[in-house]
Each structure stands twice: as structure tokens, then as C-alpha cells.
Amino acid sequence: DVSDLEPCLALIRSAQEQGLKVIIGLPTCLTSAYHVSPLNDEYTGSVRELIRYLVRALKDEPGVSAWGTGHSLERSLRYSDDDFRRYLQRHYGSLADLNVFWGSNFPTWPSITREQARKVDAKAPYQIGRASVDVAEYQIWAFRETMRLWLEAIRSVDDKRPVLTGRVTLYRSLASIPDGYDVVCVSMPPDVLETDVEAHNVHAVDMARRGGKFGALPVLRVPFRSSPVYTQDKLRDWIAQAALHGSNGFALEDWAQISEVYELEQRLPERSRHLTRNVSSWRDLTFGVAPKATTALVYSPYAEGFEVTAQPVYGYLSGLLPGEPSTLINGLRLGSRYGLLDYLCVDDLPQVDLEQYGA
């Protein structure tokens, strides 16, 4: 209840008394009543006002260590043909210039829809061309600008504390995080995405780092009772893998899954305590050490790759190159005998010393 922050303040102060630092998760996706879009004035005005109000109200609390934005923007972001046309008008300026670039003959702006744009390329190789790529670019832009809106609203009130993204749940979204965030939180559980029970899709950490631009924090799923592959040993290995790939730490989706096992083990003989020993070993891991990658993969979120419930998770263009880039990235998820990989977007290239890579 944002109208009564006393319970929140009490929790912050209680945590501080116990030596815990608090990250405040801000409600940035709002309710379904709002059309979440960087071009929707009602949404942008409301979320900007709410973020500023909450940050002002809580920023003087010494127990607050960082801010976090909303989880899974991919599920809330609304695409529309009206917004697509406004994006094109900003990008091209005139309908005549757009028609020249697309090789089309649209008579008016209202005649352009995302579906009609895709049909422009019906005879192109793989049915992909400039118009269909612009549909993808619009979606990339909408995600990035919504994330930027949240960040700028926070920074306008508090430019000192770190800002974390909420859980990012599609690989393609990792290519669209705007500069200025400190840590990108990735959630790619192996019972939803690739069934990587050895490393919990740790390549998401490499993709989130973007060559060292961002810190990365994997959010691990630990349903101990639902499947034999989710054992305490697996969790320990996932955390170690994250550390090796340069994560800044780790988070768990549900700490209660840990607490129940932890409390049970306190009643067991010392030699039977398994999880407790692992917790001690986790504390010895060095997080936040930047890996020295030997190879860089330039990644644009176009080819759709692996799909979950008919949702492409690597890109926005269906049929461009089935199975890619997910086959390549999954094959290299643990790196190679020559070291780990950095994943760079085109916008990152001017900021990175490419001479450091062998390939």
C-alpha cells in the first residue's frame, strides 16, 4: 500500500538492526488498467510520479542499499499498431522516406500496421527485409525506452544508490537494457527454458554482463521436492558456475525452500548436515570477479531461436534461421577450452577494446 509506508519502513529498520541490507523493489509495471508503453502518456506520467514519490519517501533510510525495477517487463509491455506508426514517424520523418527505404507504396500512415509491414517482405529471402526488421526494432526500442523511463525517474531523485533491473526472463531482452543500470537480474530456470540442469542456463550471466557493462545476478529456482535433479549439490554447483562466469552474487526465487531444509538440518548430527556445509562453502566464493573472455559474440535479437509456449526467447523474427542463435549459444554456455565468451550488442562495439579477443 503506497499510501501507508510505515509497514515498509518498519521492515527496513528491522532488517538494518539485524545487519541486513535492503533492496527496494519498485512497482513499475503497474496494474493491467495501464497500457504499459513508452508512448502512452497516462502510463509514463503515472509510473514516473509513483517512482519519484517512493524514492523520495525512502531514500533517507540508511538501511536502503539499492533500488530495483519491476519483474518481467516482457509480460506487461503492450505493443500496438498506433505505437508502431509513431515509432516509424520518429525514425523516418516522412512517409515518402519510409516507402523508399521499404520499397513499399503505403498511401497514408494509418494504412501501416505491423502485419502489413511483414507482408512487404513476403517475397524476400526468408520473408525478412527492412520492413519486418523495423517491426522487430520497434519492439526492441519499446522495451529499452520503458526500462530507461524507470531508470531516469529513480536517478532524478537518487543518483547515488545502485539500480538493479527486475527479473529479466527472455534472452532477447538482455540486448536492450539501457546504459545506467548497475546490475541485470536474470531468471532462466531450466524447467522453463533450456533443460540445463548442470549450469542453470549460466550463459544468461555472460549475456547480461555485455562485456563488463553491467553486473549480473542470476535468480535461481530451487524446488527441492519437485524433481530429483534439484538437489542441494545442484544448487551449490549452480552458484559456483555463476561465480565463475562473473556474477555479482546470486538470488533465490523462494528462500523458504532453503529455510525448511536448513532448519531440519540443524536437528541432524554434524556429519549428516549437507546443506549447512554447502552454505559455508558458498561464503568462500569470490563474486564479481570479471572474467577475461577470449571470444566475443556480436548478438542482435533478431533470429527467434528456442521457443517457450510459442514465445521466441532469443529474438523477434520468426523463420530467419531456425535453431539459431540458441544452438550456438547453448553449445558454448560453459565457454570453450580457450575461455569464456562475452556477448556484445552493436551499440557496445565502440566502447569495447576488441583487440582483447582472439575471435
Side-chain angles (χ1 to χ4, degrees), residues 76-127:
S76 301
L77 188 58
R78 294 263 302 275
Y79 303 115
S80 72
D81 289 331
D82 283 341
D83 283 359
F84 178 50
R85 287 188 285 268
R86 290 176 65 185
Y87 165 79
L88 294 174
Q89 287 168 342
R90 289 180 173 208
H91 189 66
Y92 289 103
S94 74
L95 183 60
D97 286 346
L98 179 142
N99 277 324
V100 169
F101 193 76
W102 283 8
S104 58
N105 56 358
F106 287 101
T108 63
W109 283 109
S111 62
I112 299 176
T113 65
R114 287 168 292 164
E115 184 59 31
Q116 290 299 322
R118 294 187 185 101
K119 288 181 179 179
V120 169
D121 298 323
K123 295 182 180 180
Y126 304 102
Q127 297 185 337

Side-chain angles (χ1 to χ4, degrees), residues 14 23 28 30 40 72 95-96 99 110 112 149 152 158 161 199 210 273 280 287:
S14 175
I23 300 170
T28 50
L30 303 186
N40 183 285
S72 303
L95 183 60
N99 277 324
I112 299 176
L149 166 70
E152 290 177 350
D158 182 358
R161 289 183 177 87
R210 296 265 295 278
R273 293 183 188 173
S280 299
F287 289 100

Side-chain angles (χ1 to χ4, degrees), residues 275-342:
L275 181 63
T276 309
R277 287 200 304 275
N278 287 339
V279 169
S280 299
S281 68
W282 300 342
R283 292 171 183 155
D284 297 330
L285 289 171
T286 302
F287 289 100
V289 174
K292 186 174 181 181
T294 57
T295 303
L297 192 153
V298 182
Y299 171 58
S300 293
Y302 293 145
E304 78 272 31
F306 181 72
E307 293 189 359
V308 176
T309 61
Q311 172 95 342
V313 298
Y314 281 93
Y316 294 90
L317 295 175
S318 296
L320 179 60
L321 192 59
E324 298 297 346
S326 51
T327 302
L328 171 65
I329 292 175
N330 189 57
L332 294 169
R333 69 187 185 281
L334 299 181
S336 73
R337 70 177 64 188
Y338 305 107
L340 295 176
L341 276 75
D342 278 347

